[in-house]
Amino acid sequence: MDLLTIGAFAKASGLSPKALRLYDELGLLRPARVDPFTGYRYYAVAQLDRARLVAWLRRLGMPLARIRAVSVLTGADAAREVRAYWARVEAETAVRRDLAAFLVTELTEAPGKGPTMLELRCAAHSDRGHVRPANQDTVYAGRRLLAVADGFGPAGAPASGAAVEALRFLDEEDGPRPGDVLNLLADAVRGAGDAVRDVTEGAGDAGTTLTALLWTGSRLALAHIGDSRAYLLREGGLFRITHDHSVVQSLLDEGRLTPAEAESHPQRSLLLKALGADPDLRLHEALPGDRYLLCSDGLTGVVPDDRIRELLAAAPDPETAVRTLVDAANTAGGPDNVSCVVGDVVPPVG
Ligand code: MG
């Protein structure tokens, strides 16, 4: 066996001797031989491929624990893991990008009350569906606040109710001041998480999702956690503006499931996080004519996006839209509680 000193191996692999010693300690890349007297490490030429793969994965920013799992794989198996890792990084980056944009707006916004250029007209509707014994969803549509919460577990209904109740103060007459929306929303969601903890204490695995939009007069601030969704209908196109925090969505992101497989996955409703963990926060510039939809998975589980787009586009007003969408879910079997809130961005009256 051809053995290289640690210095020669470091040079050939692009890893520093210091890194090689660390990877030895972590069991990531063991030397082929360690001199029992001097402690010098020697590496086999045949280990170069693995060492170079480790070096590339480090350069990608992959954590060491994950590198350990990937570096024992070869070819297509390793490629699949690299693709999955990168998909995860991109999903996380998208969430941070939205937050950064929100923060930039907040920091550049002049303090004081900004002009209210547009108004929000909205309606909400929630239904038990045809199968579930009770409705554990809670919806809210006020002048400034739209919210959907989908409770789960033995105290699911009190959980979703408490979450929405804790946000209702956001719907007050004056609304949030520009430059203050991010803190206000984050505090409100944290308060909602506390309220849910109070009502679910001792109730086993219970909690709720929360997807809420707060109207600022020209923008919509979004807080989202779980697998309820927000969509925007703009100029006839439907855009989903939330990312599900569900096991199935993460498998989809990582390319481990196809969309068709995801549709019939037995663990479709398994959440990665629920209210109490950090929400996704983003700010949306509203345009006149925008129609926003918040809904629980009782809609999206049985009504495809194309159909949602058709129904949403055809409804003359938010009241009709929420009724039609809930009817569509029930016509498709109504296997879950179904809730919809629709908000139209309109020029002010008068
Ligand atoms: Mg549900």
Side-chain angles (χ1 to χ4, degrees):
M1 182 166 48
D2 274 342
L3 290 182
L4 299 174
T5 63
I6 190 168
F9 191 74
K11 205 163 180 192
S13 65
L15 291 162
S16 70
K18 190 178 165 196
L20 286 171
R21 284 191 287 272
L22 174 67
Y23 300 162
D24 179 13
E25 281 158 25
L26 294 174
L28 197 60
L29 189 64
R30 296 268 193 224
R33 180 173 170 263
V34 179
D35 188 295
F37 301 108
T38 62
Y40 286 162
R41 294 166 169 87
Y42 294 90
Y43 292 83
V45 172
Q47 289 182 286
L48 265 177
D49 281 349
R50 182 167 178 194
R52 299 205 65 173
L53 178 58
V54 170
W56 290 124
L57 297 175
R58 282 306 281 163
R59 212 201 270 194
L60 277 183
M62 190 181 280
L64 289 171
R66 193 151 183 168
I67 290 181
R68 189 181 341 211
V70 178
S71 66
V72 297
L73 305 172
T74 52
D77 293 335
R80 193 177 49 242
E81 291 306 311
V82 172
R83 194 183 304 123
Y85 164 71
W86 195 250
R88 175 108 332 263
V89 169
E90 288 192 330
E92 285 163 10
T93 304
V95 170
R96 291 165 57 206
R97 180 193 60 215
D98 291 340
L99 182 58
F102 200 153
L103 195 53
V104 166
T105 307
E106 290 281 272
L107 291 170
T108 49
E109 200 88 312
K113 193 163 161 44
T116 300
M117 291 161 292
L118 297 166
E119 279 179 13
L120 192 64
R121 182 109 11 102
C122 53
H125 185 43
S126 182
D127 190 83
R128 181 174 62 86
H130 292 330
V131 174
R132 297 290 171 91
N135 192 352
Q136 298 198 315
D137 286 0
T138 300
V139 288
Y140 183 83
R143 285 185 60 234
R144 297 185 176 277
L145 177 71
L146 315 181
V148 167
D150 179 349
F152 58 84
S160 67
V164 171
E165 187 58 38
L167 293 186
R168 282 183 63 151
F169 78 97
L170 292 170
D171 208 28
E172 69 188 20
E173 200 66 14
D174 281 350
R177 289 194 316 275
D180 202 23
V181 183
L182 184 57
N183 287 331
L184 184 69
L185 195 60
D187 290 349
V189 172
R190 196 174 313 117
D194 292 344
V196 169
R197 207 166 307 120
D198 287 346
V199 298
T200 56
E201 217 154 34
D205 184 25
T208 186
T209 72
L210 178 68
T211 301
L213 283 170
L214 178 63
W215 179 239
T216 73
S218 57
R219 299 188 180 104
L220 282 153
L222 169 77
H224 164 72
I225 190 150
D227 68 350
S228 300
R229 290 181 182 175
Y231 289 90
L232 163 64
L233 182 76
R234 179 176 281 178
E235 288 169 4
L238 186 73
F239 307 91
R240 204 212 299 182
I241 57 176
T242 50
H243 198 72
D244 293 351
H245 301 133
S246 66
V247 172
V248 161
Q249 183 63 54
S250 73
L251 293 173
L252 266 173
D253 290 346
E254 295 188 356
R256 298 181 201 270
L257 276 186
T258 65
E261 288 168 337
E263 270 177 34
S264 54
H265 198 278
Q267 292 181 316
R268 284 185 65 183
S269 59
L270 211 59
L271 293 179
L272 277 186
K273 28 183 208 174
L275 189 56
D278 281 340
D280 294 349
L281 297 165
R282 66 186 285 188
L283 195 60
H284 242 265
E285 210 70 42
L287 296 176
D290 278 354
R291 175 168 277 180
Y292 287 84
L293 164 69
L294 307 187
C295 59
S296 62
D297 67 337
L299 177 72
T300 52
V302 289
V303 183
D305 280 9
D306 276 353
R307 185 73 184 132
I308 292 176
R309 191 193 58 76
E310 283 170 14
L311 295 172
L312 208 50
D317 50 64
E319 289 76 12
T320 314
V322 292
R323 300 257 157 208
T324 320
L325 289 166
V326 168
D327 285 351
N330 282 333
T331 304
D336 192 4
N337 306 146
V338 52
S339 300
C340 295
V341 182
V342 167
D344 281 357
V345 177
V346 296
V349 192

